Amino acid sequence: MSGNCIADRNGYYGRFGGAYVPEILHKCVTDLQDSYRSIIDSEEFRKEYHELLRDYVGRPSPLYHARRMSAKYGCSLYLKREDLNHTGAHKINNTVGQILMARRMGKTRIIAETGAGQHGVATATVCALMGMRCEIFMGKTDVERQHTNVERMRMLGAEVHPVTTGNMTLSDACSEAIRDWCSHPNDTFYIVGSTMGPHPYPDIVARMQSVISEEIRWQLKEKTGHDYPDYLIACVGGGSNSAGTMYHYADDMRVRMILAEAGGCGIGSGRTAATVHCGTEGILHGARTLVMQTPDGQIEEAFSISAGLDYPGIGPMHAHMVDEGRVKVMAVNDDEAVRAGYELTRLEGIIPALESAHALAVLPKMSFSPDDVVVLTVSGRGDKDVCTYLANRSMAGEYGDF
Ligand SMILES: *Cc1c(COP(=O)(O)O)cnc(C)c1O
């Protein structure tokens, strides 16, 4: 277990975290706080969860030695292929686990927020699997730019509610989901999609995603003889794929950890989602964390080409790890991400999600030594982003000329 990744009894990572919820949700949240550990640790849960991860999600996901990219960046680069999971991203690791919890807690109705639609699809998928009612909140802007995921959710039987408040993206969808939860506290389980929200959600999601680093350990040992890398790289929106990537290494100081947040048009441009660079301490969606906000506490609109990173906050665990100097966070701009997405496509034949392309764009900013082992998590596949990649190929440098 990794101290950096573990919340204290009240859900704090250092001074970040906690559970700031309206009175009406108090009982739901404390019920969940009181029961989640015993559910997750029970033999019966573990068996069902791991069987589903293997036979339904398709785990373990491969750890792939990317030879052409390694040659280009002068290191040994391994890609953790979360893009090959059922439904195309890491999100399903978490939704499989949370729906098993919901069932054990006797809930009958599931709600979730979604940005790019990956968490909505992953939630609608497990609801179909378990025969449970599913309602998804999604900003209207995202409904438009991630249309195929909306169609998938509808086909899976979910009801999709377009949210028209704020700038109509992920943050507004979260607020709307919390509002719905307040009106249905008894029968509804809120499946949160990232390491955010009130305690115990950041801890639940991190545990569900920790399978990523659990697998990296033995896969790396098999391939390189060592069970740890020199570098871990992942993108960060709310923080779930990076939490899973870092989980079992958080206290292993041999491992350097680099996260890519969405710089949008640039951190000084006013059109950014780079929370670590531009945020200050505040409360967002039930937790004390880093938030992009005006001096008087109004939440600022986030902006990124990638709907999954377009969020004005970051999980409390990550805010703490930044504070401790344990992780280094780089801001990656839209154009850098698009170019990196094209590069992986052309050098390795893998079209990454635009979110994952932010992690790939860290590589040209680094200088590795040739024996460095680098593990980079490809959080999802880019099928949902093909139109955006094509529309923005002028950002792709040498790869955009076709
Ligand atoms: C949702 C999503 C992200 C961002 O969320 P995290 O919780 O930070 O992982 C990144 N990549 C993909 C493919 C996603 O769907």
Side-chain angles (χ1 to χ4, degrees), residues 111-327:
I111 57 168
E113 86 295 342
T114 196
Q118 289 300 122
H119 177 56
V121 168
T123 302
T125 297
V126 296
C127 286
L129 178 68
M130 300 291 169
M132 277 163 92
R133 190 169 150 210
C134 180
E135 296 186 37
I136 304 290
F137 297 89
M138 186 172 190
K140 189 165 162 283
T141 308
D142 293 336
V143 167
E144 282 153 16
R145 64 178 164 171
Q146 303 285 331
H147 202 67
T148 53
N149 275 343
V150 176
E151 312 278 64
R152 290 165 82 195
M153 288 180 249
R154 293 201 167 122
M155 185 166 171
L156 286 158
E159 195 175 331
V160 181
H161 301 286
V163 175
T164 54
T165 50
N167 66 335
M168 306 187 230
T169 59
L170 179 55
S171 178
D172 312 295
C174 292
S175 304
E176 201 55 38
I178 293 172
R179 235 167 267 142
D180 178 279
W181 198 22
C182 289
S183 352
H184 308 87
N186 296 323
D187 65 342
T188 296
F189 191 98
Y190 180 9
I191 298 190
V192 173
S194 190
T195 44
M196 43 160 279
H199 174 59
Y201 280 108
D203 193 34
I204 291 176
V205 178
R207 283 167 194 267
M208 298 304 171
Q209 295 293 357
S210 68
V211 65
I212 298 173
S213 53
E214 197 179 303
E215 290 173 3
I216 292 173
R217 274 209 304 213
W218 63 259
Q219 290 173 319
L220 213 48
K221 174 90 184 165
E222 243 173 48
K223 289 182 197 307
T224 69
H226 296 286
D227 67 357
Y228 69 95
D230 297 292
Y231 291 91
L232 286 172
I233 302 176
C235 66
V236 58
S240 69
N241 85 88
S242 57
T245 302
M246 300 188 296
Y247 200 84
H248 290 92
Y249 294 112
D251 294 336
D252 183 343
M253 299 315 280
R254 297 170 301 186
V255 182
R256 279 162 282 189
M257 307 201 289
I258 298 165
L259 306 184
E261 63 176 5
C265 299
I267 55 174
S269 69
R271 286 165 67 77
T272 184
T275 306
V276 169
H277 285 82
C278 304
T280 51
E281 213 172 307
I283 291 174
L284 182 64
H285 299 132
R288 172 168 291 278
T289 189
L290 292 175
V291 187
M292 297 203 309
Q293 56 188 335
T294 61
D296 58 349
Q298 294 295 322
I299 305 304
E300 288 186 281
E301 291 184 0
F303 178 86
S304 165
I305 195 169
S306 146
L309 301 181
D310 201 350
Y311 183 63
I314 187 172
M317 173 200 300
H318 297 69
H320 176 58
M321 288 171 86
V322 167
D323 230 30
E324 297 281 294
R326 182 63 188 100
V327 297

Side-chain angles (χ1 to χ4, degrees), residues 37-108:
R37 286 293 302 275
S38 59
I39 295 175
I40 294 177
D41 293 340
S42 73
E43 189 58 36
E44 190 204 9
F45 175 91
R46 295 180 63 80
K47 184 164 177 292
E48 203 175 355
Y49 177 57
H50 285 286
E51 269 174 21
L52 283 171
L53 286 185
R54 186 190 61 209
D55 300 336
Y56 189 71
V57 174
R59 302 203 73 89
S61 67
L63 185 69
Y64 166 67
H65 185 208
R67 286 179 182 76
R68 295 184 69 199
M69 288 284 283
S70 295
K72 172 130 199 189
Y73 289 106
C75 65
S76 219
L77 176 68
Y78 289 86
L79 303 177
K80 183 58 172 160
R81 298 289 309 275
E82 294 301 302
D83 59 311
L84 294 178
N85 294 338
H86 180 43
T87 71
H90 65 291
K91 296 281 191 342
I92 190 112
N93 303 328
N94 171 49
T95 59
V96 162
Q98 284 196 48
I99 201 149
L100 294 178
M101 297 182 72
R103 227 178 37 184
R104 278 166 176 73
M105 294 180 75
K107 306 290 184 180
T108 54

